Amino acid sequence: MNESQAQLSEFSFERRFDDRRAMEWMQNNWSKSFLFSALYAMLVFGGQHYMKLRPKLNLRLPLILWSLSLAIFSIVGAVRTSTYMIHILSISGFRRSICDQSFYYGPISKFWAYAFVLSKAPELGDTAFVVLRKQKLLFLHWYHHITVLLYSWYSYKDMVAGGGWFMTMNYAVHALMYSYYAARAAGMRVPRPFAVLITSAQIAQMTMGVAVSVMVYRWMQHGGDCPSRLDNIACAALMYVSYLLLFCNFFYHTYLQRHAKTTKTV
């Protein structure tokens, strides 16, 4: 593995990244994600109450910059993590791509794995734009933000199997999603099929998340080459199943039901 890993082309900042120090920090501080989640919930619902009798804010330029920065981050993250995942798939196969812990400390991926879990804290800022612009706040929105933060920080410290797939899929979907948000905030007319594509990609991500959780559980029972914990697998499975149901519900009400009503009206 070391010789083949050396063939991967790293940027200097990726090579210099100290994954051991990052892992140590997360093992000592992962529980702070509960504090961040509690503060987030208080600010979100307190902010809604505060804005109730106040005019909505425009925030167009900040929203463009926010969405664009997250889009660029997600695009680069998707490219770099998928490069490593393709490498593992090509030399070791599908099972190893799920069970191999090297995603957390391997070349290229070690930096982006840590960047991924840390990014779930500032991504909570998405909701500020929803609240301050007085848009409808969906349960799916804030529930997703809180649970992803908690699960990501909880899982990284244990280097559980499946992490490479979870992170790479999320980077890829967020690359599409934040690019769409940036374009919309900038006033560009984005074709409706692109929005449908994003939600479809999210549903595919959640389906794959459930499948990976099941495979990790099965393979963990048959040997020690797929390291995880039963509580982690249970959390992952429940989380991804709930996401899958919520995104399917969102897809139905946003695209199918509205389309049916429009067709009847016409």
Side-chain angles (χ1 to χ4, degrees):
M1 179 67 76
N2 291 335
E3 183 178 349
S4 59
Q5 284 181 345
Q7 298 171 3
L8 291 168
S9 178
E10 294 178 272
F11 293 113
S12 58
F13 72 90
E14 293 172 335
R15 188 180 304 110
R16 292 195 305 267
F17 177 69
D18 188 347
D19 58 290
R20 291 184 180 181
R21 187 174 179 182
M23 186 62 65
E24 182 181 337
W25 187 92
M26 189 59 71
Q27 288 171 346
N28 293 329
N29 295 279
W30 76 273
S31 59
K32 290 181 180 177
S33 59
F34 288 100
L35 174 62
F36 294 148
S37 297
L39 289 173
Y40 167 76
M42 287 190 292
L43 289 172
V44 166
F45 297 108
Q48 280 192 312
H49 179 75
Y50 175 80
M51 291 298 297
K52 206 166 191 178
L53 301 177
R54 290 170 174 78
K56 65 181 180 181
L57 304 181
N58 189 311
L59 301 177
R60 181 175 179 179
L61 181 58
L63 181 56
I64 293 172
L65 296 175
W66 176 263
S67 300
L68 185 60
S69 62
L70 286 174
I72 294 171
F73 169 73
S74 299
I75 290 169
V76 177
V79 170
R80 300 306 283 161
T81 54
S82 62
T83 297
Y84 189 76
M85 290 298 290
I86 291 170
H87 173 75
I88 295 297
L89 280 165
S90 64
I91 65 171
S92 302
F94 180 66
R95 176 166 174 160
R96 291 310 306 158
S97 73
I98 291 178
C99 297
D100 194 356
Q101 290 180 301
S102 67
F103 187 87
Y104 296 94
Y105 55 79
I108 297 178
S109 61
K110 63 181 182 180
F111 172 85
W112 294 101
Y114 193 56
F116 174 86
V117 296
L118 289 186
S119 72
K120 297 309 162 190
E123 278 182 11
L124 298 176
D126 286 351
T127 318
F129 292 98
V130 176
V131 172
L132 296 176
R133 297 165 75 212
K134 299 185 74 170
Q135 295 179 318
K136 183 179 180 181
L137 178 62
L138 300 175
F139 170 76
L140 170 59
H141 178 97
W142 62 265
Y143 167 75
H144 180 73
H145 271 300
I146 288 176
T147 50
V148 168
L149 171 62
L150 294 174
Y151 180 75
S152 297
W153 285 40
Y154 173 65
S155 297
Y156 179 86
K157 69 179 179 62
D158 295 323
M159 296 194 298
V160 296
W165 276 93
F166 294 154
M167 296 184 208
T168 303
M169 290 189 298
N170 193 265
Y171 267 131
V173 170
H174 277 204
L176 290 174
M177 185 181 76
Y178 284 115
S179 296
Y180 173 76
Y181 290 161
R184 286 290 301 273
M188 297 174 61
R189 297 187 64 181
V190 183
R192 180 180 173 84
F194 194 77
V196 177
L197 171 64
I198 292 173
T199 309
S200 299
Q202 289 170 321
I203 291 172
Q205 175 192 352
M206 305 318 162
T207 303
M208 186 61 181
V210 173
V212 169
S213 299
V214 171
M215 284 183 279
V216 169
Y217 174 74
R218 290 185 61 187
W219 290 334
M220 189 178 72
Q221 307 303 307
H222 300 87
D225 65 335
C226 211
S228 189
R229 294 165 42 169
L230 287 176
D231 60 339
N232 188 285
I233 296 172
C235 288
L238 288 172
M239 182 181 71
Y240 275 110
V241 167
S242 66
Y243 292 167
L244 180 59
L245 294 174
L246 288 169
F247 275 106
C248 285
N249 181 66
F250 176 81
F251 188 95
Y252 172 75
H253 288 288
T254 304
Y255 306 120
L256 300 181
Q257 194 174 57
R258 286 185 185 178
H259 177 72
K261 288 180 179 178
T262 304
T263 304
K264 287 181 181 179
T265 304
V266 174

